[in-house]
């Protein structure tokens, strides 16, 4: 074995382009999108899609707004051929959608491809042959002249087949396959020879696809390759430059974006990046990257959950929970500091009430993708008080004061440590009810009460209540300058429980006849302990009484 296996590999050469322009450019308009899910994506599946799944995927692509769709490889077999011809026969292709098929540069395969599209209003036939040294020498055993002749012969056959079927608006695409690892001068030579045969015009351009068939260098080198080709093509105004990046180095997204900056007009890829090896470039991420920069990508992902479910069903591959924009956990924060920043961001967004999105840790509004804010913050042992407060606010409408947030977060932290798992909203609510005695069974339980004035000249109020004390009904009575102070006096006089209110807050939950009131109290006991109480009721006064009795329960249970 080699002592240093890395010596087997050589660095990819730089492109001689000292005055490259792409680094100073920005993307201001979206490229044309071509989905290769039904062809390139399909051939990468362990179990290729059947006709029903291909039709479902095609319908999804049309629904989200993809206007160019590579629907298959007609010569691959009967399933492919029948699906493609069925789309035409059953008039499934909308007038604004262009279907495309792929073929190798062989006469019989090209003829079969045209046959599959018989009767189409318009269609693109995509011809390819590999041009790089490894493929020339290892795969085909051809020299440069032989590879170039293969491309020319294929282009002539393609033009001949189109001329035999004048009822269809035929468009052509040519790929110097393995462009990313080929000599630029030779790629240009082959492309020019194909253009000589197809004779494109500005009104009827030819698509030249420059694929990163194998991603062999950093994205900046691919951008250099694309810009070099754009500069040197003799008929640039009659050519649509398309790119087809793969993801072998994990930088397919960056390669596509830099290629567009370098002059590419169109991007070919798959939803969520399915494809051979590490996949094709991910059209969802590319499109939504543009969206977050204020550029309408022309693709509709406002119901991302439906898109994910359809693709997962058709591909029988899961979309990773951390997949950009689409994963189940991609907008979810577990970390306490992240949760606090997100919660503050939403609060600031509500106060600002303008059209601009500016929430920490969330580059895009989940609602734009059909997501719910409830899933943004979830709770486990890493979560903080802000995350717990967010869950209760989103699920129950409770806006806990900060001291109460800190108090309850300790309860949740202990529960998360004990269970060693993520806590559900039901777990958190159950813990909240137990911690603040919102369910029957505490030492103090309200049965009924009334508040009255003592006399015409006395400004104080009298609280008279019936409570269940340690399970037994008792009547308590106290005087004070308001409801809360008179209740505290009653607890002190009749129950020997002395507590003082340090802070009291309340708010409405919801609106209209079904609205509830939430009351929160922070109290100090005679021995200096701090306890909290929470009260919920459709009546504001009753919610306040329940909050005080909640604090009383906390005082006796922790004393």
């Amino acid at each position: 074995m080699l002592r240093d296996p890395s010596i087997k590999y050589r660095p990819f050469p730089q492109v001689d382009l000292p005055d490259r322009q792409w680094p100073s450019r920005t993307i201001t308009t979206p490229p044309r999108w071509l989905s290769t899910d039904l062809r390139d994506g399909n051939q990468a599946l362990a179990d290729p899609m059947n006709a029903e799944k291909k039709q479902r995927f095609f319908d999804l692509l049309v629904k989200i707004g993809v206007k160019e769709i590579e629907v298959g490889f007609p010569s691959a077999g009967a399933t492919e051929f029948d699906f493609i011809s069925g789309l035409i026969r059953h008039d499934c292709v909308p007038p604004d959608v262009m279907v495309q098929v792929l073929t190798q540069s062989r006469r019989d395969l090209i003829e079969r491809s045209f046959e599959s599209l018989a009767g189409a209003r318009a269609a693109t036939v995509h011809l390819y042959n590999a041009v790089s040294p490894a493929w020339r020498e290892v795969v085909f055993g051809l020299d440069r002249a032989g590879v170039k002749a293969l491309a020319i012969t294929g282009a002539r056959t393609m033009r001949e087949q189109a001329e035999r079927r004048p009822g269809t608006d035929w468009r052509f695409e040519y790929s110097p396959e393995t462009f990313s690892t080929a000599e630029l001068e030779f790629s240009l030579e082959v492309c020019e020879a194909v253009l000589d045969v197809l004779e494109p015009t500005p009104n009827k351009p030819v698509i030249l696809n420059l694929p990163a068939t194998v991603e062999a260098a950093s994205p900046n080198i691919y951008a250099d390759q694309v810009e070099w080709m754009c500069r040197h093509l003799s008929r640039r105004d009659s050519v649509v430059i398309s790119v087809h990046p793969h993801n072998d180095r994990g930088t397919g997204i960056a390669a596509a974006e830099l290629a567009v900056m370098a002059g590419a007009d169109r991007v070919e890829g798959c939803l969520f990046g399915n494809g051979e090896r590490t996949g094709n470039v991910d059209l969802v991420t590319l499109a939504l990257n543009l969206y977050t920069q204020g550029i309408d990508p022309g693709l509709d992902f406002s119901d991302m959950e439906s898109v994910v479910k359809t693709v997962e069903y058709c591909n029988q591959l899961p979309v990773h929970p951390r997949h950009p924009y689409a994963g189940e956990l991609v907008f979810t924060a577990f970390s306490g500091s992240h949760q606090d920043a997100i919660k503050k961001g939403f609060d600031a967004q509500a106060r600002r009430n303008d059209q601009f999105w500016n929430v920490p840790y969330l580059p895009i509004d989940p609602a734009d993708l059909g997501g719910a804010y409830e899933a943004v913050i979830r709770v486990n042992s890493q979560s903080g008080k802000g995350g717990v407060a967010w869950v209760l606010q989103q699920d129950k409408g409770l806006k806990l004061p900060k001291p109460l947030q800190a108090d309850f977060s300790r309860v949740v932290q202990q529960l998360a440590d004990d269970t060693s798992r993520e806590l559900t909203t039901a777990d958190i609510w159950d813990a909240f009810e137990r911690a603040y005695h919102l369910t029957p069974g505490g030492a103090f339980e309200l049965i009924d009460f009334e508040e009255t004035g003592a006399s015409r000249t006395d400004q104080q109020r009298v609280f008279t209540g019936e409570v269940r004390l340690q399970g037994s009904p008792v009547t308590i009575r106290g005087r004070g300058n308001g409801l809360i102070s008179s209740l505290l006096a009653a607890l002190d006089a009749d129950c020997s429980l002395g507590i003082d209110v340090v802070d009291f807050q309340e708010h409405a939950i919801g609106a209209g006849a079904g609205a509830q009131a939430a009351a929160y109290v922070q109290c100090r006991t005679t021995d200096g302990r701090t306890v909290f109480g929470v009260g919920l009721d459709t009546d504001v006064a009753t919610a306040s009484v329940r909050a005080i009795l909640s604090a009383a329960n906390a005082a006796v249970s922790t004393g």
Side-chain angles (χ1 to χ4, degrees):
M1 294 182 62
L2 294 172
R3 293 175 62 87
D4 179 10
S6 67
I7 65 173
K8 295 187 294 184
Y9 308 101
R10 289 165 290 180
F12 198 87
Q14 300 287 314
V15 177
D16 184 16
L17 196 67
D19 60 339
R20 56 184 57 84
Q21 300 299 305
W22 64 261
S24 61
R25 295 173 182 161
T26 57
I27 301 174
T28 57
T29 57
R32 289 166 51 176
W33 306 108
L34 172 87
S35 163
T36 64
D37 288 276
L38 299 177
R39 196 277 303 169
D40 204 351
N42 187 50
Q43 72 184 36
L45 299 175
D47 297 308
M49 288 180 271
N50 58 23
E52 181 269 331
K53 288 180 178 178
K54 291 197 77 170
Q55 184 65 57
R56 185 176 295 199
F57 211 127
F58 179 84
D59 293 341
L60 170 67
L61 294 169
V62 171
K63 180 180 178 182
I64 64 176
V66 179
K67 302 303 182 185
E68 298 179 69
I69 303 172
E70 194 162 75
V71 290
F73 203 143
S75 59
T79 299
E80 290 284 281
F81 186 95
D82 291 345
F83 170 72
I84 295 165
S85 60
L87 288 176
I88 308 304
R89 289 197 316 273
H90 301 301
D91 197 24
C92 295
V93 183
D96 60 344
V97 171
M98 177 72 80
V99 293
Q100 175 173 307
V101 297
L102 181 73
T103 179
Q104 293 166 297
S105 187
R106 276 176 39 190
R107 171 171 286 277
D108 58 325
L109 304 184
I110 296 170
E111 291 175 348
R112 185 69 168 161
S113 298
F114 276 87
E115 289 169 7
S116 73
L117 294 166
R121 170 193 52 80
T124 300
V125 179
H126 180 184
L127 174 76
Y128 76 97
N129 66 294
V131 299
S132 66
W135 271 257
R136 295 195 308 259
E137 298 161 9
V138 177
V139 181
F140 300 115
L142 293 173
D143 58 11
R144 284 192 176 193
V147 166
K148 181 178 174 182
L150 192 63
I152 293 171
T153 300
R156 286 174 177 163
T157 304
M158 193 162 59
R159 180 167 179 171
E160 167 199 309
Q161 291 295 311
E163 290 171 350
R164 290 182 180 180
R165 298 169 173 85
T168 298
D169 180 10
W170 295 107
R171 301 299 172 113
F172 304 124
E173 176 172 351
Y174 173 70
S175 289
E177 183 75 352
T178 65
F179 165 81
S180 54
T181 52
E183 309 93 336
L184 283 170
E185 294 82 359
F186 184 56
S187 293
L188 177 66
E189 181 182 340
V190 175
C191 287
E192 291 285 7
V194 169
L195 294 178
D196 287 342
V197 173
L198 299 179
E199 297 183 309
T201 66
N203 292 329
K204 199 165 185 176
V206 164
I207 300 167
L208 285 182
N209 180 41
L210 308 178
T213 307
V214 177
E215 192 178 31
S218 51
N220 60 298
I221 291 180
Y222 185 53
D224 282 350
Q225 293 172 322
V226 172
E227 182 172 333
W228 189 95
M229 287 290 288
C230 288
R231 289 192 191 187
H232 288 82
L233 282 166
S234 63
R235 284 162 278 203
R236 181 64 181 92
D237 62 346
S238 300
V239 169
V240 173
I241 295 295
S242 190
V243 291
H244 184 118
H246 278 255
N247 197 43
D248 299 89
R249 291 170 52 93
T251 55
I253 294 288
E257 291 179 333
L258 298 190
V260 172
M261 293 163 61
D265 307 298
R266 189 176 81 149
V267 175
E268 305 182 3
C270 292
L271 301 186
F272 307 120
N274 177 45
E276 291 181 299
R277 303 182 310 281
T278 56
N280 291 325
V281 73
D282 175 4
L283 295 187
V284 175
T285 302
L286 273 172
L288 291 175
N289 282 354
L290 291 178
Y291 186 82
T292 65
Q293 304 305 302
I295 301 168
D296 182 356
L299 299 179
D300 180 5
F301 295 111
S302 60
D303 186 5
M304 184 63 80
E305 182 180 5
S306 176
V307 174
V308 170
K309 286 181 177 178
T310 300
V311 174
E312 287 183 330
Y313 168 76
C314 293
N315 286 344
Q316 294 297 293
L317 292 173
V319 172
H320 195 280
R322 298 292 183 188
H323 191 101
Y325 304 113
E328 181 185 359
L329 297 178
V330 73
F331 298 120
T332 300
F334 291 104
S335 161
S337 60
H338 289 208
Q339 292 173 343
D340 183 63
I342 290 170
K343 182 177 183 298
K344 289 176 179 176
F346 274 109
D347 292 342
Q349 193 86 8
R351 290 193 302 271
R352 201 170 60 248
N353 194 30
D354 61 23
Q355 63 179 324
F356 298 107
W357 180 253
N358 185 28
V359 176
Y361 293 112
L362 297 179
I364 193 172
D365 185 349
D368 289 352
L369 307 181
Y373 294 141
E374 287 84 351
V376 169
I377 292 177
R378 288 160 58 176
V379 176
N380 62 15
S381 61
Q382 302 298 306
S383 304
K385 64 181 184 296
V388 174
W390 168 267
V391 171
L392 287 175
Q393 181 174 340
Q394 294 299 305
D395 193 53
K396 299 296 182 180
L398 301 183
K399 302 174 183 178
L400 306 189
K402 285 189 175 181
L404 180 57
Q405 293 179 24
D407 184 72
F408 184 52
S409 70
R410 288 189 286 270
V411 175
V412 174
Q413 181 72 45
Q414 185 62 54
L415 179 61
D417 287 339
D418 291 344
T419 58
S420 298
R421 62 172 174 81
E422 179 189 350
L423 300 181
T424 66
T425 54
D427 293 330
I428 295 169
W429 180 243
D430 287 345
F432 190 78
E433 288 187 310
R434 291 193 304 271
Y436 301 106
H437 309 278
L438 298 182
T439 55
F444 297 90
E445 185 179 341
L446 180 65
I447 299 174
D448 198 7
F449 79 96
E450 67 173 356
E451 180 195 16
T452 59
S455 68
R456 290 183 179 180
T457 59
D458 190 347
Q459 297 300 311
Q460 290 196 319
R461 310 291 293 176
V462 175
F463 176 90
T464 304
E466 186 178 359
V467 300
R468 190 170 284 110
L469 180 59
Q470 303 293 354
S472 301
V474 298
T475 300
I476 61 174
R477 183 178 288 105
R479 292 163 57 93
N481 58 10
L483 174 62
I484 291 178
S485 61
S486 59
L487 171 56
L488 293 174
L491 290 172
D492 188 24
D494 296 328
C495 303
S496 300
L497 180 67
I499 57 175
D500 294 322
V501 173
V502 176
D503 183 58
F504 174 85
Q505 296 183 39
E506 62 183 1
H507 66 81
I509 304 174
Q516 271 197 315
Y520 314 101
V521 293
Q522 178 182 347
C523 298
R524 183 175 293 110
T525 65
T526 54
D527 58 359
R529 289 177 293 117
T530 296
V531 294
F532 294 87
V534 178
L536 305 174
D537 201 272
T538 54
D539 176 68
V540 175
T542 304
S544 301
V545 172
R546 292 188 185 280
I548 295 296
L549 294 180
S550 169
N553 280 316
V556 298
S557 64
T558 60

